[in-house]
Structure formats: C-alpha cells, structure tokens
C-alpha cells in the first residue's frame, strides 16, 4: 500500500532562515507526490507536485521540494522563511488502487516561523 | 479560492442527531472526495465519488453515507451523531480516473473546499 511519513510533528524556524519539512514515501511503482498547506481555519491549499522530470519542483509562495528516489524522500524547502509561512503542512502520495485516484496524506507537520 | 464550495461553514448539533454536509466541486471536476480532520486522527479519507458512483472507501463509519448527484454536487450524511464525530469535514474535487500518466486527468491532485466544522454537544 502507498504511504507517506512526516517524521516531525513540529518544525521551528527563525524568520529569514531556510526551512525544511520532511516527507518520506513508500510506493509501488512511480510516485506522484504532493505538498499541501493548511492555514488556521482554512481548507488545504495545493503547493506543488512531483510527477516526473526534474527532481527539484518549484511551487507556490516560494516553496520548492526535492524528490530523492534513493532516499524515498520528498522534502519541502524554502530558502528564507516568513512568519506568514506558519501553518500545517501535509505531504501526500497518489494511490490508484482500484483504478481511481485518491490521495494518502501524512500526519502533517506544524511549521512555526518566529520573528 | 479553490473553486470548491462547502455548506454550511459551521454546524452545532446534539448527540443522536443527523446532519447533511454539502459540497459543490470545481467546474469540470468529476471526482469528489470527503475527508475528516480531527485533532487526534489527522486527515482521514472517508469516501470518493466519480460521476455519481462510489469509487473508493476509506475509514468511513456505517453511520455515515454520501452520494453524488447528477449535477455533481455531493452530500455527506452523518447520523446517530456522537461526541467523537466533532471534526472538520473537507470536500475535495479533482480529476477523474487513475489513468496512465500523460493522459487527460491522470495527475491526481485535489482541490479542497473551506470545510464544515461540526460540533456535537
């Protein structure tokens, strides 16, 4: 079965510093990987996806993610964190068991960016 | 704005009651997905519909049911409510089948509505 793991419940970063939110995956076949962000009292917003091609994927709000096949990882990164990036981040993998798309989400990582 | 709408935004009800949550997908999306987000369980996939038919089931209780109508909007019905059903319920819409990469609608990304916060007292 497809799965993703987010090993950190919370990540704390100072504003202006680079940030990394970790995600590892376990899939059979080629992985389709996604990152979503959830701001307080809001729905999930799509950030970026990896389907194929370049291992470095660029997304919304200055975020990028690096796909690493040998380490089965898809870490979310940003060169310089903003206080407004504080939110809950979810990694997800596509599962097409049964022939229909669904997403399997990680448990989420809370990012806190301090001024 | 994702283009997915959900009503109501908030719902407060008592144990034992029944409620209906409504979702309208993005224009053109045939799939609707329902998720439950609670503090201790994270984001749980409940059920998926594609063009009116149920396609995948996750951790959905027997007290819960859903349907997708011909105009593609979907409703999630929660009955015999318990305190533990208090949660945020999200609807998402997205592409269609898990077709092969490179074909239309095969990418799998989903677009989420703002959610319905259900409080069971």
């Amino acid at each position: 079965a497809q799965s993703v793991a987010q090993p950190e419940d919370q990540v704390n970063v100072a504003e202006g510093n680079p940030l990394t939110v970790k995600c590892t995956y376990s899939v059979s076949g080629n992985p389709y990987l996604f990152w979503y962000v959830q701001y307080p009292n809001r729905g999930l917003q799509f950030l970026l996806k990896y389907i194929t091609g370049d291992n470095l994927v660029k997304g919304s709000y200055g975020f990028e993610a690096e796909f690493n096949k040998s380490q089965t990882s898809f870490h979310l990164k940003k060169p310089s964190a903003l206080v407004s990036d504080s939110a809950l981040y979810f990694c997800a993998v596509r599962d097409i068991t049964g022939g229909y798309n669904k997403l399997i989400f990680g448990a989420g990582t809370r990012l806190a960016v301090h001024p | 704005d994702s283009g997915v709408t959900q009503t109501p935004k908030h719902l407060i009800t008592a144990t034992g009651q029944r409620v209906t949550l409504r979702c309208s997908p993005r224009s053109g999306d045939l799939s609707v997905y329902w998720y439950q987000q609670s503090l201790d369980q994270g984001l749980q996939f409940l059920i998926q519909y594609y063009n009116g038919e149920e396609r995948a089931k996750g951790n959905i209780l027997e007290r819960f049911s859903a349907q997708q109508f011909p105009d593609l909007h979907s409703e999630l019905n929660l009955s015999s409510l318990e305190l533990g059903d208090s949660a945020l319920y999200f609807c998402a819409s997205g592409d269609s089948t898990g077709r092969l990469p490179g074909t239309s609608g095969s990418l799998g990304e989903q677009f989420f509505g703002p959610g319905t916060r259900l409080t069971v007292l």
Side-chain angles (χ1 to χ4, degrees):
Chain A
Q2 324 287 55
S3 67
V4 289
Q6 295 180 244
E8 302 156 316
D9 289 338
Q10 177 149 338
V11 170
N12 297 298
V13 176
E15 188 175 29
N17 282 2
L19 69 87
T20 299
V21 183
K22 295 180 180 177
C23 172
T24 58
Y25 66 88
S26 173
V27 303
S28 53
N30 294 321
Y32 283 19
L33 297 159
F34 303 82
W35 275 102
Y36 284 81
V37 59
Q38 184 181 23
Y39 297 101
N41 300 312
R42 302 282 297 274
L44 277 70
Q45 294 179 36
F46 169 76
L47 272 181
L48 52 80
K49 64 178 182 277
Y50 172 82
I51 304 298
T52 186
D54 288 342
N55 291 339
L56 188 63
V57 179
K58 294 191 183 298
S60 307
Y61 312 122
F63 283 93
E64 56 191 27
E66 186 171 11
F67 173 71
N68 187 315
K69 189 172 182 178
S70 63
Q71 297 186 5
T72 62
S73 66
F74 188 57
H75 300 334
L76 182 69
K77 300 183 179 187
K78 188 173 182 181
S80 178
L82 300 172
V83 172
S84 57
D85 292 329
S86 299
L88 189 55
Y89 290 80
F90 290 95
C91 179
V93 64
R94 187 185 82 155
D95 182 0
I96 58 169
T97 303
Y100 289 86
N101 280 314
K102 58 182 180 291
L103 291 179
I104 306 298
F105 285 88
T109 298
R110 190 165 298 280
L111 173 67
V113 181
H114 306 284
Chain B
D1 183 3
S2 67
V4 179
T5 60
Q6 286 186 252
T7 56
K9 277 191 174 180
H10 302 276
L11 201 48
I12 301 175
T13 188
T15 55
Q17 295 298 304
R18 172 189 169 97
V19 297
T20 297
L21 282 52
R22 183 188 168 104
C23 167
S24 293
R26 289 189 323 158
S27 176
D29 283 348
L30 300 179
S31 279
V32 168
Y33 307 79
W34 286 98
Y35 294 87
Q36 179 192 58
Q37 185 181 33
S38 55
L39 282 175
D40 57 345
Q41 293 279 331
L43 195 65
Q44 299 286 320
F45 167 70
L46 295 178
I47 197 164
Q48 178 203 358
Y49 278 81
Y50 168 70
N51 203 21
E53 296 186 15
E54 180 186 306
R55 286 304 178 195
K57 256 186 175 179
N59 300 320
I60 188 166
L61 300 172
E62 285 190 11
R63 300 184 285 111
F64 296 0
S65 65
Q67 53 184 327
Q68 187 179 27
F69 294 87
D71 66 352
L72 300 178
H73 91 271
S74 178
E75 293 181 355
L76 179 67
N77 300 295
L78 314 176
S79 61
S80 303
L81 284 168
E82 302 174 358
L83 296 176
D85 297 327
S86 295
L88 265 171
Y89 291 84
F90 288 108
C91 162
S93 75
D95 70 23
S96 50
T97 65
R99 290 191 284 254
L100 291 173
T103 61
S104 174
S106 62
L107 298 183
E109 65 195 82
Q110 295 175 16
F111 299 88
F112 282 74
T116 294
R117 182 173 291 282
L118 174 66
T119 303
V120 182
L121 300 175

